[in-house]
């Protein structure tokens, strides 16, 4: 994390979904463990957007649905 400057983004999903509260909890843990970094939780359209944003360098951590992540890892273009 030392290589990153500025605010670090945790990419979740919609605020009404299950991943957003997980992102909030992760943010709290990271703030305790690495207080020198500023972290924010970013509400997204979920896994596909999260993976695209990570690939573009727009986040430090992305929550993802396992089956979509697995297909993306295999190179399946339908997963993204």
């Amino acid at each position: 994390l030392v290589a990153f400057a500025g605010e670090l983004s945790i990419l979740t999903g919609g605020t009404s979904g299950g991943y957003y509260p997980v992102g909030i909890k992760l943010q709290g843990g990271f703030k305790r463990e690495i207080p020198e970094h500023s972290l924010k939780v970013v509400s997204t359209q979920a896994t596909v957007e999260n993976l695209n944003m990570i690939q573009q360098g727009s986040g430090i951590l992305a929550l993802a649905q396992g089956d979509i992540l697995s297909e993306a890892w295999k190179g399946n273009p339908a997963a993204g």
Side-chain angles (χ1 to χ4, degrees), residues 1-11 30 34-40 53-62:
L1 293 176
V2 176
F4 290 92
E7 197 166 47
L8 305 175
S9 297
I10 300 170
L11 309 171
F30 283 128
I34 53 170
E36 65 275 12
H37 292 283
S38 174
L39 290 106
K40 68 177 176 176
M53 290 176 72
I54 281 289
Q55 187 173 30
Q56 297 164 2
S58 298
I60 188 69
L61 178 86

Side-chain angles (χ1 to χ4, degrees), residues 10 19 21-31 39 41 61 63:
I10 300 170
Y19 290 161
V22 171
I24 296 293
K25 289 289 188 181
L26 288 169
Q27 179 188 40
F30 283 128
K31 281 185 177 182
L39 290 106
V41 177
L61 178 86
L63 300 176

